[in-house]
Structures are given as C-alpha cells and as structure tokens.
Amino acid sequence: MRKQIAAANWKMNLTYQQAIALLQTIIAADITLKENHSVVFAVPFPYLEKAIGTVQHRKNFLISAQNCSDRKSGAFTGEVSTEMLKSIEVNFCLVGHSERREYFGENNLMLADKLNLCLVNGITPIFCCGEALGTREQNQQNSYVERQLRESLFHLTREEILKVVIAYEPIWAIGTGKTASTAQAQEMHAFIRSALKNQYDAAIADQISILYGGSVKAANAKEIFGSKDVDGGLVGGASLNATEFIEIIKALK
Ligand code: 13P
C-alpha cells in the first residue's frame, strides 16, 4: 500500500522552546502508526538538528526542512543547501510551497533544480503544487497543475520520481478555513495520478503518495484522507496545536 503521511508545516511560527515542547507532546502521545504511516514535521532551519534528535527514537516520525537552495554551494548569503541538510540527516524537504512561489519568486524551473539537488543528496522532496482561486474560477486548474508537474518534475527518471512525494495545496484553501470539498480534492488527486501515469506508467503512478493541503484540521481530516487518491495531508495552522495534530495523525487510513 502507498505511504500515508501526516505532515506538519510549521511555517515561520513558534520559538525554539515552543517548538520542541510541541514536538515532545506529540511524540509522547498514544499514537499507533501502521507500517505504511509516516509523520513528518517541516520545521524552521534553526530547529532541524534538535528536532531530529527529539524524534529519533520514534519509528516513522521524521523531520523535514521547509525549503532549500536551488544552488549547490557557494556565495549565496543566507541560503541553505541540500548538502547541508544531508549532513545533519534531514529526511525530507518541502519544495515549491505556494508561499515560496508567491513571496519569494520561485518558479517551476528553479524548483526542478531544487528537486534534483534533493534527490542527489538522498532527501525526499515534498513537491507542492496547486492553483489560485482565479484559475479555479476559470476552470483551468488541471492544465495549471499539469504544467507545474511537467516543468518541475517530469524530467525525472522512473527511479527518481518514485522518491518524490506530491502535495496538492489549492492556494484558495491555505489558511482561509476553506477546504476543497472531498470531491474537489479527490478529482485533482486522480488527475495528478493520471498525469503521472501518462508520463511514466500505471505502476509508478500507483506508488506515489499525493498529500492534500489547505485548512486540514481534526474535524475534517478523516473525510479528506478517506478519498481513494488522497494519501494524507500537509497541515499548516492545525499542526501548531498538539491535540489537533494528534487527531490528524490518527485520521490516516
Ligand atoms: P493551512 O493548513 O494553515 O491552511 O496551511 C496549509 C499549508 O500551507 C501547508 O503547507
């Protein structure tokens, strides 16, 4: 069965003390993961190493960076390379979150470079895609997302694409309290899987985890994750609350 993942994206929230306390509360909770379940925390850079140490004894609890540089190394002040992430044993990295695209000018081609660097360094990229409200209102969401996949992902080999996790996050549902309906999420996830099938093949498409992101909370996680092509979630706001996020983890199928 495909990997089912509950991923927290803390974004630029929490002090170090708050962050580690939150992590400790969650890993101390009575949560039984199935073999194919993973829980991933995308934490701010300065907390990565401590977070890795904190979850180390808990099987299938893993740590992610929220971003990485599209350059290998060198004179790029303030950037963090995938090689640096690898050297402290970071397992995952978010790539192309819509906030990175919108506020920091990240485009599909840069993201292809980031994906390549993650894969070279053994880091699983969680590639984020999704359309803005205007695109959906014009019913252009499929071609928009297909282009994001084509320009950032579809140069990857069959072996490489199997190492990628995809997160569909409709921008109009992020932080708005408005989730995509179960039908809208399932429809887009099935579309992404069919695009993977067309580019690669059915066996590959069937193995890739596709997470949903956008106002996931304890109250709606079970319903959203229940859809056939939804393999868990990438959670912002609700992941900052231990009780909420524990319930979200428990909603994995
Ligand atoms: P919210 O869960 O706060 O809507 O954020 C979703 C998100 O951007 C996760 O990456």
Side-chain angles (χ1 to χ4, degrees):
M1 199 194 172
R2 272 195 299 275
K3 254 204 174 85
Q4 305 293 303
I5 302 170
N9 177 9
W10 288 351
K11 308 190 181 185
M12 197 172 73
N13 292 297
L14 308 171
T15 63
Y16 177 77
Q17 290 75 13
Q18 291 167 335
I20 301 310
L22 175 61
L23 205 48
Q24 283 166 340
T25 306
I26 295 168
I27 61 167
D30 182 20
I31 302 169
T32 312
L33 297 182
K34 291 189 191 157
E35 200 54 40
N36 66 325
H37 287 175
S38 292
V39 181
V40 175
F41 297 89
V43 312
F45 287 129
Y47 311 163
L48 280 169
E49 211 182 346
K50 175 70 176 176
I52 289 168
T54 306
V55 300
Q56 221 157 30
H57 64 285
R58 277 289 247 146
K59 193 170 170 234
N60 294 348
F61 281 72
L62 300 156
I63 299 299
S64 175
Q66 296 177 7
N67 183 30
C68 62
S69 176
D70 60 334
R71 312 296 176 97
K72 194 168 177 296
S73 65
F76 302 106
T77 302
E79 288 291 273
V80 173
S81 74
T82 45
E83 197 175 62
M84 293 172 184
L85 297 175
K86 181 192 180 184
S87 70
I88 57 163
E89 296 174 17
V90 172
N91 310 105
F92 288 81
C93 184
L94 304 185
V95 173
H97 191 281
S98 61
E99 288 149 16
R100 301 291 321 165
R101 295 174 188 259
E102 185 176 352
Y103 307 132
F104 303 96
E106 298 194 358
N107 60 48
N108 293 345
L109 300 180
M110 275 170 79
L111 299 176
D113 290 334
K114 293 192 182 203
L115 284 159
N116 293 342
L117 285 165
C118 281
L119 293 169
V120 163
N121 286 291
I123 296 165
T124 302
I126 302 179
F127 175 73
C128 306
C129 57
E131 80 289 352
L133 184 59
T135 307
R136 181 159 283 265
E137 282 172 347
Q138 289 165 22
N139 201 27
Q140 296 298 309
Q141 65 273 15
N142 287 5
S143 56
Y144 186 85
V145 169
E146 199 271 338
R147 183 172 179 182
Q148 291 182 316
L149 300 174
R150 184 162 25 91
E151 294 188 350
S152 300
L153 278 189
F154 285 174
H155 64 285
L156 298 176
T157 65
R158 297 162 61 84
E159 291 71 31
E160 287 167 339
I161 192 77
L162 285 171
K163 294 179 182 144
V164 175
V165 172
I166 296 173
Y168 168 61
E169 300 204 300
I171 297 170
W172 46 271
I174 295 179
T176 57
K178 200 166 146 181
T179 44
S181 67
T182 316
Q184 283 172 323
Q186 167 55 29
E187 193 180 6
M188 178 56 85
H189 283 231
F191 173 75
I192 293 171
R193 215 175 289 291
S194 74
L196 289 164
K197 181 178 163 202
N198 293 341
Q199 180 67 24
Y200 298 94
D201 60 37
I204 286 184
D206 195 45
Q207 286 175 67
I208 296 177
S209 300
I210 308 175
L211 316 184
Y212 168 81
S215 299
V216 173
K217 43 187 186 279
N220 59 25
K222 193 129 203 151
E223 189 184 336
I224 296 171
F225 298 173
S227 295
K228 177 169 160 280
D229 287 294
V230 178
D231 304 309
L234 180 55
V235 187
S239 76
L240 299 170
N241 178 298
T243 315
E244 277 281 313
F245 194 60
I246 290 164
E247 287 310 307
I248 292 168
I249 298 169
K250 290 181 176 172
L252 287 175
K253 63 173 175 277

